Amino acid sequence: MANVPKSRDGYQWTPATGLVQGVPTLGLVQPSKKGLKNSKRYDVVVVGAGYAGLTTCRDLTVAGNSVLLIEARDRIGGRSWSSNIDGYPYELGGTWVHWHQPFVWRELRRYGMIDQLEVSPRPGMEGGSRVTVNLDGKVVSLSHDEESEIVESAFKKFINVDGVLGRSVIPYPHDIELNMAGVKKYDQLSMADRMAQVESQLTPLEKNTFGGFLAITHGAKWEEASFFELLRWWALMNYNYTDFMAIGLTYKLRDGQSALARRIFDEAIDTGRLDYSFSTPVKSVHDNGSHIVITARNGDATFEARRAVCTVPLNVLHTIAFTPALPSLKREASMMGHANQVVKCHAEVANPEMRSLGATNFPRGKLTYTFGDGTTPAGHTHLVAFGSSLPGAHLDPEKDISVTKQAFEAFHPDMKVQRLVFHNWHQDEFARGAWEWLRPGMTTKYLEALRKRHGNVFFASSDSSFGWRGFIDGAIDDGGRVAKMVHDELKMRDLPRSRL
């Protein structure tokens, strides 16, 4: 993987190179266009090459449909992609997977990638196996077991709204519509509202440690993040803290998420039924009733298809002009946007003993939490860190690399930073935020509307999927769901009338 080509996306810094925009990735697509003909009308055009779009393309082409994929970036993967540097992947977006996530697990099995699983944090390793917490300027050192006990205790107090740790609110985690009365009640609460209800029950150490954990979970101002979203995550992760950490933050892929995305993309290509145009931001989607006309932002290219599947992130949807106009609830939801503006940064540090490090610098740190995520080919430690968007602590890592470097060094006085790698999602025009975390009231008001088709345009997205919404699994789930709907509709319309 030494000669992996570079995307325009992402940033890398080393003392030798300084800050450089663009990082190598297995997800780069070259050449950027394939098979385009002005006169061709496709069965389906798919907008967006994240996991939802890739799954849609794969399933539709395998089923026999002609598909055009249009992507604004020069790569596949959307908000889940890895930079492969010297053969080592740094996950710049979605990362962790688990066998309790059925759709991503099906893909790993399909492509023979089950043996790619690696454990990310390693709390039991020798040396540096402590967690440090910045408690009002005083550094408290804990074992990993002590940290887990503290966070679990606080988590249960925070989540236990019904005396049975949320089970009565979300009895069916993959179908919240079965108890919308309970959903509505807790969807109106913000994370700040819930903290005010339980704050007196938390010790100072619980409040600080758990507060840092929550800050990088929703990545928003506390009053702008729905408490229901945390209840939903908790239910999906089997209503207990041990599974929460195992499912959400433990297992990653040895070759990175771009390796899995590439397998899905390549299978679609191998059918001979997928054409594509990368580096092609979409300006407008016009539904003529009989077919769709999509116009690129530069105005030089238009594409036609019988149906369209739009997979762009929620926070970007309103930037595309739809004719007929989008229903008001869809547009309102996109204009409001989900709240998550978390920052994710990677560091390679010349401290092998930090492989099992965990550290919190909340609420003042520009980066809130870090932990050892691997060992690089040079024998150094790979740290991944997250930062929240709290006032005074927000970080745009590319604006001043010395501030970003200092944010890592604040976790440990002896840290020797050799490399920084990151993608600034909230400054990315094609994302405008990280993983989905809806604002108070958005689930009950907008979620159903976001899933609905609009004429001949269908919508698939991790941001509005069933089940693992906001996760890689949710994107794959929704892409497959919509692909089946579109294929069945096209197939039915193509049947001879004598068979209807």
Side-chain angles (χ1 to χ4, degrees):
M1 299 184 183
N3 297 316
V4 176
K6 289 176 64 174
S7 168
R8 295 188 300 270
D9 282 351
Y11 291 88
Q12 180 183 181
W13 171 89
T14 69
T17 64
L19 182 65
V20 177
Q21 183 171 1
V23 294
T25 177
L26 300 176
L28 186 73
V29 176
Q30 295 177 319
S32 63
K33 294 175 172 51
K34 173 185 177 294
L36 300 181
K37 296 179 181 178
N38 291 334
S39 60
K40 186 171 182 178
R41 181 176 294 178
Y42 296 86
D43 290 324
V44 186
V45 59
V46 176
V47 180
Y51 272 120
L54 293 177
T55 305
T56 303
C57 289
R58 193 270 314 277
D59 289 2
L60 285 170
T61 54
V62 168
N65 302 280
S66 63
V67 178
L68 171 65
L69 173 61
I70 304 175
E71 167 56 49
R73 306 182 190 279
D74 58 6
R75 59 171 182 80
I76 57 176
R79 286 172 288 174
S80 295
W81 72 292
S82 51
S83 175
N84 298 79
I85 298 173
D86 298 331
Y88 184 87
Y90 294 86
E91 296 287 7
L92 299 175
T95 301
W96 294 281
V97 297
H98 196 273
W99 46 91
H100 283 187
Q101 297 168 333
F103 297 96
V104 71
W105 195 255
R106 178 195 62 193
E107 300 299 328
L108 294 175
R109 180 69 73 187
R110 181 183 187 125
Y111 298 115
M113 297 179 69
I114 299 297
D115 62 355
Q116 284 253 335
L117 289 188
E118 288 190 340
V119 174
S120 183
R122 297 276 184 89
M125 291 184 66
E126 294 296 325
S129 57
R130 303 292 290 177
V131 177
T132 60
V133 179
N134 190 335
L135 184 60
D136 294 328
K138 178 182 178 182
V139 176
V140 178
S141 180
L142 307 168
S143 70
H144 285 275
D145 287 343
E146 288 170 334
E147 179 204 28
S148 294
E149 290 173 3
I150 290 167
V151 175
E152 181 175 9
S153 173
F155 214 141
K156 288 180 176 178
K157 294 173 185 176
F158 197 80
I159 213 76
N160 194 21
V161 294
D162 56 358
V164 288
L165 298 175
R167 288 179 183 271
S168 71
V169 180
I170 310 177
Y172 301 98
H174 285 263
D175 197 351
I176 60 171
E177 285 79 1
L178 293 177
N179 184 28
M180 284 305 293
V183 170
K184 184 176 182 179
K185 177 179 179 180
Y186 295 106
D187 189 33
Q188 306 308 312
L189 284 180
S190 71
M191 296 290 281
D193 293 332
R194 181 56 182 165
M195 181 58 78
Q197 291 176 351
V198 303
E199 191 171 15
S200 63
Q201 302 173 38
L202 303 177
T203 69
L205 192 54
E206 282 180 337
K207 184 180 177 182
N208 180 280
T209 307
F210 184 57
F213 177 84
L214 290 181
I216 63 171
T217 302
H218 58 73
K221 296 177 181 177
W222 289 63
E223 62 273 15
E224 296 179 356
S226 170
F227 170 60
F228 170 73
E229 292 286 71
L230 186 67
L231 279 173
R232 183 176 62 85
W233 279 32
W234 176 259
L236 284 165
M237 298 183 194
N238 207 30
Y239 309 95
N240 73 81
Y241 175 73
T242 300
D243 285 344
F244 194 104
M245 300 305 291
I247 296 170
L249 281 168
T250 299
Y251 300 99
K252 62 177 186 173
L253 302 180
R254 183 179 63 244
D255 292 338
Q257 285 294 334
S258 289
L260 174 57
R262 173 63 69 174
R263 301 286 185 94
I264 300 173
F265 179 70
D266 287 349
E267 184 176 358
I269 290 293
D270 289 344
T271 66
R273 302 185 187 96
L274 180 67
D275 291 346
Y276 57 75
S277 182
F278 283 76
S279 299
T280 308
V282 168
K283 177 182 180 181
S284 64
V285 177
H286 190 162
D287 184 354
N288 290 327
S290 62
H291 64 280
I292 301 289
V293 178
I294 290 185
T295 304
R297 187 185 291 176
N298 60 18
D300 296 334
T302 59
F303 312 97
E304 294 188 8
R306 299 164 69 192
R307 299 290 184 273
V309 179
C310 180
T311 72
V312 301
L314 170 63
N315 290 6
V316 179
L317 182 61
H318 69 277
T319 67
I320 298 174
F322 285 83
T323 307
L326 286 177
S328 59
L329 288 179
K330 278 188 190 289
R331 182 166 178 81
E332 281 177 24
S334 180
M335 292 288 289
M336 181 180 294
H338 72 74
N340 188 356
Q341 299 294 322
V342 78
V343 174
K344 182 180 184 181
C345 294
H346 300 269
E348 181 181 6
V349 300
N351 305 84
E353 73 280 3
M354 290 187 185
R355 176 65 177 88
S356 59
L357 176 71
T360 300
N361 191 11
F362 175 80
R364 299 175 182 84
K366 294 286 188 181
L367 290 171
T368 305
Y369 189 76
T370 191
F371 58 85
D373 199 29
T375 301
T376 70
H380 297 157
T381 294
H382 163 211
L383 296 173
V384 60
F386 297 87
S388 70
S389 58
L390 292 174
H394 186 74
L395 177 68
D396 283 314
E398 74 278 12
K399 287 190 175 180
D400 188 339
I401 205 67
S402 66
V403 172
T404 306
K405 183 169 174 283
Q406 289 165 11
F408 269 101
E409 293 168 340
F411 288 120
H412 198 288
D414 298 323
M415 190 175 291
K416 302 176 178 63
V417 178
Q418 306 296 303
R419 185 192 308 272
L420 297 171
V421 187
F422 53 87
H423 184 133
N424 190 346
W425 292 107
H426 59 272
Q427 293 293 345
D428 182 329
E429 65 171 319
F430 304 123
R432 300 191 177 192
W435 61 85
E436 165 272 331
W437 194 286
L438 297 183
R439 300 170 188 270
M442 288 189 74
T443 294
T444 46
K445 184 175 181 178
Y446 297 116
L447 191 58
E448 182 180 1
L450 287 171
R451 292 171 178 162
K452 286 184 177 179
R453 66 185 292 177
H454 180 49
N456 290 317
V457 183
F458 294 74
F459 297 85
S461 173
S462 172
D463 292 345
S464 54
S465 65
F466 294 88
W468 288 94
R469 178 155 45 88
F471 291 76
I472 294 166
D473 192 82
I476 295 171
D477 177 7
D478 222 38
R481 177 184 68 86
V482 170
K484 182 69 164 58
M485 292 171 59
V486 173
H487 172 72
D488 287 351
E489 181 168 296
L490 292 176
K491 182 179 178 181
M492 183 61 67
R493 301 227 172 168
D494 289 342
L495 284 175
R497 290 189 177 273
S498 61
R499 294 183 59 189
L500 296 178

